[in-house]
Amino acid sequence: MRKALGYIWGTVFVIILWWLLAIGIDSPALPTPAATWPELVSCFQKIMPQFWASFGRIILSMAIGTLLGAPCGLWIGRSKRADAIFGPILYVLYPVPKIVFLPVLFVLFGLGGEAKVILIAIAIFFQMVVTMRDAAKHVPQGAIDSMLSLSATKLQIFTDVVLPSSLPALFTALRITCGTAVAILFIAESMAGSSGLGYYIMHAWSLLEYPQMFAGIVAMAALGVILYEAFDIAERLTTRWRRA
Amino acid sequence: MRELCFSHVDVVYGSGKDAITALDNLDFTVSDGESVAIIGPSGCGKSTTLRLASGLLRPSAGTTTIDGSPIQGPRASTALILQDFGLLPWKTVRANAELGLKIRHVPRGERKERASEALQLVGLEEFADAYPGSLSGGMRQRLALARALALDVDLLLMDEPLSALDALLREQLQDTLLSLWRKEGYAQILVTHSIDEAVYLGQRIYVMAPRPGHVVTVVQNEDAGDEAYRQSGEFFARCNEVRELLRQAGGGGSHA
């Protein structure tokens, strides 16, 4: 309830700010919410396929990046040997902005969806490896010793201690990276291809259809909010113990 | 278990120039149903002794046996309670109490029953669905006890289990430890740096000293095991005796 009220207040604030800016700047490139709204309603049919195209790419790429990155991170964090080998590589590769590989991926995988999904998956992968590696290093030793003294196997220690204690970090990483993922997707879709919200926004821009462009921007913002909120809810459900 | 026996045990951490001798020529026995306390300043090898008994650590030299066979690793009816209790904060009180049984693949129904009994024994049954984070320090300690008791242990090892609690709660839980031990009949080893705790709970008290860790002397304390003992003159005399021994050993007990 409190959360819903918060969202209403946040949305109202953003709309008012947008309105004031639109009036102040008075440019066709920044239409008022009132001018955008009918556009959003009337091109809803046109936007939805683009929305689903973008949504599908984000979900697929984040799933790939997480499913590959999180186990790698946990492994590197728990194994001294793996950390010695892969830790330095991470330090070199992690700060590289992955978006710069977009042209390479376009050449290798073509201008369709694959290159976009792979690029986002790579960015998410590195974020996951680094976050989960740190989380795995901070698993409470007392919990592990207790499990060992109860003659737990390595697998049991992983499923009952390492995994649950790293789960909050996983969701934090997901929430933070969904912003990055949407940003990369926008750039990738606007540069090449003929589907997705990024394409839609830049296409409307090139036709000087500003209200339509803004309808696309609102849809892209909604995509980010939906993802963030979904991860937030998933985190609440799986880490109830943290609020005990 | 009839007897836990350490004979001429050395434990050396590291190797070469950096080697640190944690335990030097330790002889140590605990019989069935006995309550033994180990006291000494930090670095005297108290915790190392417990890790040996639990099977988490193997000696560098000498032998550690239970009923004549060497301790190869963690044993089904030995339970270890660590200083920070080793509870899993992401599991409910009940799931924590069931943990040892789950690891040993005890069927769900029996697991639930035995955990409930153990929680009842320590007075936590009404908190079964809470998470450890919402429990007080004393309740967490009792949960750690319940987890051990659910396993039907015959040897309970405790590493400074009460050191995080305030004085009154500490005495209460010492009474809890005493009554559970009398009721359940397991052998227990209590590592502590508190003199009165060692004297109240230990039928024999191993006084240890550091650099390298070794046993200075073993104090016989047959009167331990009774609530009335704490108020008696003998109790205070025994505390003073142990305090003097610790002082002579050079480390000094941190407090009584």
Side-chain angles (χ1 to χ4, degrees):
Chain A
M1 191 57 213
R2 208 194 185 112
K3 191 136 198 241
L5 277 176
Y7 255 103
I8 291 171
W9 151 240
T11 311
V12 167
F13 180 88
V14 169
I15 289 176
I16 291 173
L17 187 72
W18 172 6
W19 215 310
L20 291 176
L21 278 172
I23 292 169
I25 293 174
D26 193 25
S27 150
L30 186 60
T32 61
T36 311
W37 178 248
E39 205 63 40
L40 196 62
V41 173
S42 72
C43 55
F44 188 76
Q45 295 290 340
K46 247 163 71 190
I47 285 191
M48 276 328 271
Q50 313 299 343
F51 179 87
W52 288 121
S54 294
F55 187 78
R57 284 174 189 153
I58 289 268
I59 294 293
L60 182 63
S61 56
M62 288 190 81
I64 295 171
T66 304
L67 289 177
L68 294 177
C72 284
L74 290 176
W75 177 54
I76 295 173
R78 293 308 307 167
S79 156
K80 281 210 176 88
R81 191 178 302 171
D83 199 36
I85 297 170
F86 296 109
I89 302 175
L90 274 182
Y91 284 118
V92 174
L93 285 182
Y94 177 65
V96 176
K98 308 302 172 297
I99 188 83
V100 299
F101 296 112
L102 184 58
V104 182
L105 292 170
F106 277 153
V107 172
L108 288 177
F109 296 98
L111 302 181
E114 293 86 350
K116 293 156 194 164
V117 168
I118 290 169
L119 180 67
I120 300 172
I122 291 172
I124 303 294
F125 173 84
F126 277 98
Q127 188 68 49
M128 277 297 157
V129 172
V130 169
T131 310
M132 296 314 274
R133 169 175 169 261
D134 289 350
K137 282 188 176 182
H138 293 112
V139 173
Q141 190 56 41
I144 293 178
D145 281 347
S146 283
M147 292 287 288
L148 281 175
S149 77
L150 295 165
S151 44
T153 60
K154 276 194 164 162
L155 181 67
Q156 284 170 327
I157 289 177
F158 184 80
T159 56
D160 286 54
V161 178
V162 177
L163 202 59
S165 81
S166 311
L167 220 48
L170 179 89
F171 282 110
T172 306
L174 279 173
R175 274 189 296 141
I176 292 170
T177 50
C178 72
T180 316
V182 172
I184 295 176
L185 184 71
F186 172 74
I187 295 174
E189 285 181 342
S190 63
M191 275 183 70
S194 55
S195 66
L197 287 171
Y199 159 77
Y200 180 87
I201 291 168
M202 293 315 280
H203 185 65
W205 171 72
S206 65
L207 297 177
L208 306 180
E209 293 277 4
Y210 292 136
Q212 228 184 78
M213 175 186 88
F214 239 78
I217 291 174
V218 170
M220 197 127 208
L223 177 63
V225 170
I226 289 168
L227 283 174
Y228 188 91
E229 200 50 34
F231 292 134
D232 200 49
I233 290 169
E235 174 169 14
R236 273 159 203 279
L237 290 179
T238 51
T239 60
R240 260 181 304 167
W241 56 273
R242 289 184 96 204
R243 287 177 300 284
Chain B
M1 184 194 89
R2 291 186 315 276
E3 192 186 48
L4 167 84
C5 182
F6 292 4
S7 162
H8 305 297
V9 165
D10 294 346
V11 172
V12 181
Y13 292 116
S15 59
K17 265 192 294 185
D18 301 323
I20 294 165
T21 306
L23 276 177
D24 183 37
N25 199 21
L26 176 75
D27 288 313
F28 182 76
T29 55
V30 180
S31 308
D32 186 24
E34 197 180 15
S35 179
V36 169
I38 305 177
I39 191 167
S42 48
C44 72
K46 305 187 291 264
S47 300
T48 302
T49 307
L50 269 202
R51 292 176 73 85
L52 284 169
S54 71
L56 287 179
L57 184 72
R58 308 278 177 82
S60 310
T63 55
T64 58
T65 58
I66 286 180
D67 298 344
S69 38
I71 304 175
Q72 304 279 10
R75 174 175 168 269
S77 47
T78 301
L80 172 66
I81 299 178
L82 296 165
Q83 195 167 1
D84 66 355
F85 315 146
L87 299 173
L88 307 185
W90 43 86
K91 287 185 187 287
T92 60
V93 166
R94 184 193 306 285
N96 265 289
E98 284 182 13
L99 185 66
L101 301 167
K102 190 180 154 206
I103 289 173
R104 278 154 208 185
H105 305 292
V106 173
R108 189 181 293 265
E110 189 189 341
R111 219 153 75 193
K112 201 163 176 189
E113 201 173 305
R114 278 166 68 179
S116 294
E117 272 171 35
L119 286 175
Q120 216 159 1
L121 216 48
V122 299
L124 279 181
E125 67 273 31
E126 55 189 300
F127 299 98
D129 297 317
Y131 287 97
S134 63
L135 302 183
S136 68
M139 287 158 91
R140 283 180 210 185
Q141 177 54 57
R142 284 186 282 152
L143 175 54
L145 266 170
R147 181 166 78 188
L149 296 177
L151 292 170
D152 275 334
V153 291
D154 57 19
L155 177 60
L156 179 60
L157 312 170
M158 294 173 281
D159 192 354
E160 304 195 16
L162 309 182
S163 60
L165 307 177
D166 64 60
L168 271 178
L169 198 55
R170 207 177 162 124
E171 289 198 358
Q172 262 175 33
L173 275 158
Q174 286 168 0
D175 289 340
T176 307
L177 287 180
L178 192 65
S179 70
L180 285 174
W181 168 69
R182 278 206 305 226
K183 198 157 143 197
E184 303 287 311
Y186 45 76
Q188 66 181 6
I189 306 176
L190 174 75
V191 161
T192 180
H193 57 246
S194 154
I195 292 168
D196 67 338
E197 197 164 290
V199 173
Y200 185 53
L201 292 170
Q203 295 172 306
R204 275 185 303 131
I205 304 166
Y206 281 80
V207 180
M208 297 185 70
R211 282 179 293 276
H214 64 282
V215 174
V216 179
T217 184
V218 183
V219 178
Q220 298 296 325
N221 186 36
E222 288 86 358
D223 297 328
D226 192 87
E227 271 95 4
Y229 182 43
R230 204 203 292 276
Q231 315 303 335
S232 68
E234 289 85 352
F235 177 77
F236 291 104
R238 188 58 45 80
C239 284
N240 282 331
E241 182 190 339
V242 172
R243 185 174 293 114
E244 194 49 43
L245 285 165
L246 280 167
R247 194 167 292 151
Q248 283 167 12
S254 52
H255 55 266

